[in-house]
C-alpha cells in the first residue's frame, strides 16, 4: 500500500538542521506509529481469517481510535477493553462511530489482559488478541520500515516513547541497515529508563540507543505551562500540529538540547512525527488557559 509520509525540513527558530518524517500525515485516524504497528498485525489477521479485533487501552488511547478505524475499513468487528470507569470523551466517541464495542474495565482486572480476552472471547474463534498499543514483534517490523523509507542519512533520529515498541522498530531498522545513525528516545512517562528493557526484548544491539529521561514534564499526559507555551509557539510558527502527550515533549527536547549545544554544528537530525493529534481535543482547557 502506498503511503504519504514525506521528510520535511523544520522551520523553527534555530532548528534548521532538523527534519521531520511526517507519519502524522499517513492517515487522520490510523495515525503515525499506530498505522505502522497495525500494518503487519492486520496482515496476520487476514492470514488467519479472523474477523474480530480485541484490544486494550486507556480512555484517550490513539491506538483504540486507530484500531476502530482500521477494523471498520477492513470490514472487521472490534472490541476494546477500556481501562477505568465509564467515561465519555472525543476519542471514545470516534471509536464508537467506527463501530467499536467498548468494555470499561476496572484497573485491577485490566492488568491481566490475556485473562480478560479468554473470559469474554475464549469461545469466539473469530477473535484476535491485540495487545495494548499494538505491542508485538509484528508492530516492531512495521516500525522498522520507517528507516527503510529514508532516502538520506541522518546523524540523529529522535522519537517519543510510551511503551518503546516504536523505538525498538527504529533501532532494528538502523541495525539491519548497518547505519551509524544514533537513535535518541524521549520517554513521555516518569522513570523512562524501563524503555531500554522494552527495546531489548526485540533488539540485542543497543549501542546506538540513547534515552533522555528528563522530558516527561511530570509524567504521562502531564503538562507544564512551559511545555504548553512552547507548543503554542511551535505550532503557530511551523504550521505543524503537535500533541501534548508525545510529540510536544519530543520537539521540546530537541529544541532544549539544541539550546544547550548538544549537537555538532553540522549534525543532521530527523524527528519522527508519530501523529496522535486527536489527543489535543482532550486537553482544550489547558491550552485556553495559556
Ligand atoms: C502511541 C504513541 C507513541 C508511543 O509509541 P510506543 O511504541 O508505545 O513507544 C508515540 N507517539 C504517538 C503520537 C502515539 O500515539
Amino acid at each position: 500500500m502506498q503511503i504519504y509520509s514525506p521528510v520535511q525540513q523544520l522551520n523553527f527558530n534555530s532548528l534548521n538542521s532538523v527534519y521531520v518524517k511526517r507519519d502524522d500525515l499517513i492517515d487522520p485516524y490510523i495515525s503515525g506509529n499506530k498505522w505502522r504497528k497495525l500494518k503487519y498485525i492486520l496482515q496476520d489477521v487476514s492470514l488467519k481469517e479472523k474477523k474480530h479485533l480485541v484490544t486494550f487501552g486507556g480512555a484517550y488511547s490513539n491506538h483504540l481510535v486507530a484500531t476502530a478505524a482500521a477494523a471498520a475499513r477492513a470490514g472487521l468487528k472490534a472490541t476494546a477493553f477500556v481501562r477505568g470507569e465509564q467515561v465519555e470523551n472525543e476519542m471514545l466517541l470516534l471509536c464508537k462511530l467506527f463501530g467499536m464495542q467498548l468494555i470499561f474495565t476496572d484497573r485491577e482486572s485490566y492488568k491481566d489482559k490475556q485473562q480478560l480476552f479468554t473470559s469474554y472471547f475464549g469461545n469466539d474463534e473469530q477473535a484476535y488478541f491485540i495487545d495494548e498499543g499494538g505491542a508485538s514483534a509484528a508492530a516492531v517490523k512495521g516500525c522498522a520500515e520507517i528507516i527503510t523509507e529514508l532516502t538520506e542519512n541522518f546523524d540523529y533520529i529522535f522519537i517519543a516513547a510510551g511503551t518503546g515498541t516504536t523505538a525498538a522498530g527504529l533501532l532494528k531498522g538502523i541495525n539491519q541497515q548497518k547505519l551509524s545513525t544514533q537513535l535518541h528516545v524521549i520517554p513521555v512517562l516518569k522513570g523512562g529508563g524501563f524503555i531500554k528493557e522494552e527495546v531489548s526484548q526485540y533488539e540485542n544491539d543497543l549501542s546506538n540507543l540513547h534515552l533522555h529521561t528528563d522530558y516527561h514534564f511530570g509524567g504521562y499526559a502531564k503538562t507544564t505551562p512551559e511545555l504548553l507555551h512552547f507548543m503554542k509557539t511551535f505550532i503557530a510558527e511551523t504550521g505543524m500540529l503537535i500533541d501534548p502527550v508525545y510529540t510536544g515533549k519530543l520537539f521540546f527536547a530537541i529544541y532544549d538540547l539544541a539550546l544547550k549545544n548538544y549537537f555538532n554544528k553540522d549534525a543532521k537530525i530527523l524527528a519522527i512525527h508519530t501523529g496522535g493529534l486527536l489527543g489535543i481535543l482532550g486537553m482544550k482547557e489547558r491550552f485556553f488557559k495559556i
Side-chain angles (χ1 to χ4, degrees), residues 13-15 226 252-263:
N13 263 319
S14 54
L15 292 184
E226 187 186 24
F252 185 99
I254 296 171
Y255 180 68
D256 190 56
L257 290 167
L259 275 186
K260 292 173 174 158
N261 294 318
Y262 184 85
F263 306 110

Side-chain angles (χ1 to χ4, degrees), residues 34 37-38 41 53-57 61 63-64 67 81 110-114 117 128-137 139 163 165 198 201-202:
K34 301 309 184 284
K37 288 180 178 192
L38 283 170
I41 292 175
L53 309 183
V54 178
T55 195
F56 306 83
S61 163
H63 165 69
L64 292 190
T67 306
F81 291 95
Y110 186 86
K111 284 182 187 155
D112 195 344
K113 301 185 179 63
Q114 202 62 57
F117 178 80
Y128 186 96
F129 177 97
I130 302 177
D131 208 341
E132 184 169 44
S136 59
T163 64
T165 309
E198 282 301 307
Q201 288 186 29
Y202 301 103

Side-chain angles (χ1 to χ4, degrees), residues 55-267:
T55 195
F56 306 83
Y60 275 100
S61 163
N62 293 318
H63 165 69
L64 292 190
V65 176
T67 306
R73 289 183 208 174
L76 305 169
K77 240 176 91 174
T79 300
F81 291 95
V82 185
R83 186 181 60 240
E85 65 285 5
Q86 183 158 356
V87 288
E88 290 176 355
N89 67 38
E90 297 83 355
M91 305 292 271
L92 295 175
L93 168 66
L94 288 169
C95 290
K96 282 190 95 94
L97 285 172
F98 283 120
M100 180 178 251
Q101 189 202 350
L102 305 178
I103 304 174
F104 291 92
T105 310
D106 66 84
R107 280 157 206 275
E108 201 45 46
S109 326
Y110 186 86
K111 284 182 187 155
D112 195 344
K113 301 185 179 63
Q114 202 62 57
Q115 166 64 27
L116 280 171
F117 178 80
T118 310
S119 68
Y120 279 79
F121 303 111
N123 295 324
D124 178 356
E125 286 186 1
Q126 310 272 14
Y128 186 96
F129 177 97
I130 302 177
D131 208 341
E132 184 169 44
S136 59
V140 171
K141 180 179 172 195
C143 293
E145 290 182 351
I146 297 172
I147 301 295
T148 51
E149 280 168 24
L150 299 177
T151 54
E152 48 188 323
N153 278 322
F154 293 92
D155 301 301
Y156 301 86
I157 292 184
F158 272 80
I159 182 79
T163 64
T165 309
T166 308
L170 292 170
L171 189 64
K172 189 175 271 301
I174 287 169
N175 289 344
Q176 275 170 350
Q177 301 214 26
K178 301 193 166 41
L179 302 176
S180 59
T181 308
Q182 301 299 308
L183 181 66
H184 287 254
V185 179
I186 311 299
V188 302
L189 298 89
K190 210 187 263 184
F194 74 92
I195 296 286
K196 205 156 219 162
E197 281 93 75
E198 282 301 307
V199 172
S200 70
Q201 288 186 29
Y202 301 103
E203 193 56 25
N204 294 325
D205 182 0
L206 303 185
S207 48
N208 289 10
L209 177 70
H210 309 270
L211 298 187
H212 300 267
T213 54
D214 293 332
Y215 293 104
H216 55 74
F217 293 88
Y220 183 75
K222 299 270 172 34
T223 56
T224 65
E226 187 186 24
L227 176 65
L228 298 172
H229 265 297
F230 169 80
M231 287 181 60
K232 273 188 119 167
T233 312
F234 182 95
I235 293 169
E237 278 193 23
T238 62
M240 183 174 78
L241 277 174
I242 51 178
D243 81 290
V245 181
Y246 295 105
T247 50
K249 294 178 182 180
L250 170 71
F251 283 103
F252 185 99
I254 296 171
Y255 180 68
D256 190 56
L257 290 167
L259 275 186
K260 292 173 174 158
N261 294 318
Y262 184 85
F263 306 110
N264 301 332
K265 198 164 67 58
D266 303 320

